Amino acid sequence: MCGQENIEPKETAWNMLTHFFKDLMHFDGKFFSTLKWLIARPGFLSKEYMAGRRNSYLNPVKMYVFTSAFFFLVFFSFSKVSDGGIETTTINGKTVQEIEKMDSAQFADFTRRINREDEKADVPMTRTEFDKYKDSAIRKSGVRITPTGFSSRAEYDSALQSGKKKHNWVMRQLVYKQLDLNKKYNNDSRLIVRAFMDKIMHSLPQMLFVSLPFFALLLKWLYFRNKKLFYVDHLVFTVHFYIFSFFAMFIMYAITKINNQLDLGIFRLINFLLFLGMLFYEYKAMRKFYLQSRGKTIAKFLLLNLAFIVFMVLIFGFFVIFSFFKI
């Protein structure tokens, strides 16, 4: 427009840098002050948000994204999937744990039988020799999620076409997945189990994110008589509770990692007390936010958590199936 000052629509690198640090410090200041009120006064921030007093506190969605991202960044950085699940694999009908508990005579008879079946000398193995055999056997066994023993898709398709096998659609998909996994990981059951567990572990953020609106919906049902509260109000309460839970779980996780090195009973006790503290915090937040009597709050607290546990079992089952077909 005529007479308007001609301003260069670009900014210097210095301006960009100073704006970044101003925004960062502004975020940090709000984050820690909000966290202080979140921990010290359960339910307080949710009531403040409903009352419209929001400028002094960090937006709950921003805070949820930050705390969840930080928690899972730390969790995934220090949590690795081990081969512990392989102990359930059987060798000649015995698990690794059962074999390790055998006395000398039982172990000698067991390993002698393995050598006979492999058409080797009828002599027992030493523990060292068996460890090498065990690693080889486990790695070459693949996974067996169906009672079928086909080695390829072509072999299985041939059996289906000839009528030797009559499987429904679900069984066919399971057999195909079993064959594909064994082929992809070269029949190495350790790699398959590790990939499966890693997939489940990395599904935890999605599980919690999916559970959040359901938790709020449960609150909506439990407090359906309160016409002043809308679903979004229950959602804000849930977000604040989840943020607190991430903070508490971070402390519990840090204590667990320390205790893995020290193995002191006091740390396990502290974690147990922190878990009880999370439950007490949830009760106090419900009591302060919804302003009902102790008896009604306790009853709804129990119903809420029971229904939520059932939902989490179902959602975990879904993600287990989803993870299996995604590896």
Side-chain angles (χ1 to χ4, degrees), residues 43-205:
F44 170 76
L45 285 180
S46 302
K47 291 188 75 68
E48 288 285 281
Y49 192 90
M50 282 179 57
R53 294 185 289 271
R54 305 168 186 175
N55 290 334
S56 300
Y57 313 108
L58 189 63
N59 180 278
V61 175
K62 284 185 179 180
M63 196 166 184
Y64 174 86
V65 171
F66 178 80
T67 52
S68 62
F70 178 77
F71 172 78
F72 283 111
L73 176 65
V74 174
F75 179 76
F76 292 140
S77 298
F78 293 95
S79 298
K80 304 297 179 184
V81 177
S82 67
D83 294 327
I86 302 301
E87 293 178 354
T88 58
T89 302
T90 59
I91 300 175
N92 280 28
K94 299 290 184 181
T95 66
V96 173
Q97 289 178 326
E98 289 173 332
I99 297 169
E100 289 176 349
K101 293 178 181 179
M102 291 179 177
D103 59 32
S104 300
Q106 292 172 325
F107 182 76
D109 182 63
F110 178 75
T111 54
R112 185 183 289 114
R113 188 165 65 250
I114 291 175
N115 280 333
R116 285 199 303 267
E117 291 174 358
D118 290 345
E119 298 181 354
K120 296 179 180 179
D122 188 9
V123 294
M125 299 181 196
T126 64
R127 293 281 179 177
T128 302
E129 290 172 339
F130 178 74
D131 286 341
K132 294 179 180 178
Y133 171 84
K134 176 190 68 177
D135 290 339
S136 176
I138 289 175
R139 290 184 182 278
K140 294 179 180 179
S141 63
V143 292
R144 183 71 66 86
I145 56 175
T146 68
T148 58
F150 297 101
S151 58
S152 67
R153 274 180 170 255
E155 182 184 354
Y156 180 55
D157 287 337
S158 177
L160 289 174
Q161 292 172 4
S162 65
K164 292 181 180 179
K165 291 291 182 182
K166 296 181 179 180
H167 289 160
N168 58 35
W169 183 85
V170 174
M171 178 59 76
R172 289 199 303 272
Q173 299 311 307
L174 289 174
V175 174
Y176 283 136
K177 189 61 182 179
Q178 174 181 302
L179 294 169
D180 291 344
L181 283 176
N182 288 330
K183 180 180 180 181
K184 180 179 179 180
Y185 293 97
N186 196 27
N187 287 319
D188 191 332
S189 57
R190 289 180 186 271
L191 291 179
I192 296 171
V193 171
R194 190 183 297 124
F196 177 60
M197 297 302 295
D198 187 68
K199 196 71 177 179
I200 293 177
M201 188 172 73
H202 281 82
S203 297
L204 291 176

Side-chain angles (χ1 to χ4, degrees), residues 31 47 136 183 256 258 288:
F31 175 82
K47 291 188 75 68
S136 176
K183 180 180 180 181
T256 299
I258 295 172
K288 295 293 184 181

Side-chain angles (χ1 to χ4, degrees), residues 147-304:
T148 58
F150 297 101
S151 58
S152 67
R153 274 180 170 255
E155 182 184 354
Y156 180 55
D157 287 337
S158 177
L160 289 174
Q161 292 172 4
S162 65
K164 292 181 180 179
K165 291 291 182 182
K166 296 181 179 180
H167 289 160
N168 58 35
W169 183 85
V170 174
M171 178 59 76
R172 289 199 303 272
Q173 299 311 307
L174 289 174
V175 174
Y176 283 136
K177 189 61 182 179
Q178 174 181 302
L179 294 169
D180 291 344
L181 283 176
N182 288 330
K183 180 180 180 181
K184 180 179 179 180
Y185 293 97
N186 196 27
N187 287 319
D188 191 332
S189 57
R190 289 180 186 271
L191 291 179
I192 296 171
V193 171
R194 190 183 297 124
F196 177 60
M197 297 302 295
D198 187 68
K199 196 71 177 179
I200 293 177
M201 188 172 73
H202 281 82
S203 297
L204 291 176
Q206 293 94 312
M207 289 187 209
L208 287 175
F209 185 76
V210 169
S211 72
L212 193 152
F214 180 77
F215 193 95
L217 186 61
L218 288 174
L219 288 169
K220 174 68 175 174
W221 289 339
L222 287 171
Y223 293 96
F224 72 95
R225 292 180 181 275
N226 192 333
K227 304 303 180 182
K228 295 181 180 179
L229 293 176
F230 298 96
Y231 176 73
V232 67
D233 299 316
H234 302 290
L235 196 59
V236 169
F237 175 87
T238 302
V239 170
H240 281 138
F241 175 62
Y242 269 48
I243 294 169
F244 172 82
S245 298
F246 280 124
F247 180 75
M249 287 189 297
F250 174 77
I251 297 176
M252 293 170 69
Y253 181 72
I255 292 173
T256 299
K257 298 302 287 186
I258 295 172
N259 193 46
N260 288 342
Q261 303 298 320
L262 303 177
D263 193 24
L264 297 176
I266 185 64
F267 287 114
R268 287 189 288 273
L269 176 61
I270 292 173
N271 266 350
F272 177 69
L273 293 176
L274 283 172
F275 174 73
L276 293 181
M278 286 178 63
L279 296 178
F280 181 71
Y281 179 94
E282 181 185 1
Y283 158 76
K284 289 290 290 184
M286 291 173 65
R287 179 114 160 81
K288 295 293 184 181
F289 184 73
Y290 294 105
L291 300 175
Q292 288 194 335
S293 65
R294 288 188 180 90
K296 286 184 177 180
T297 304
I298 291 173
K300 292 181 178 182
F301 167 84
L302 294 174
L303 286 172
L304 172 66

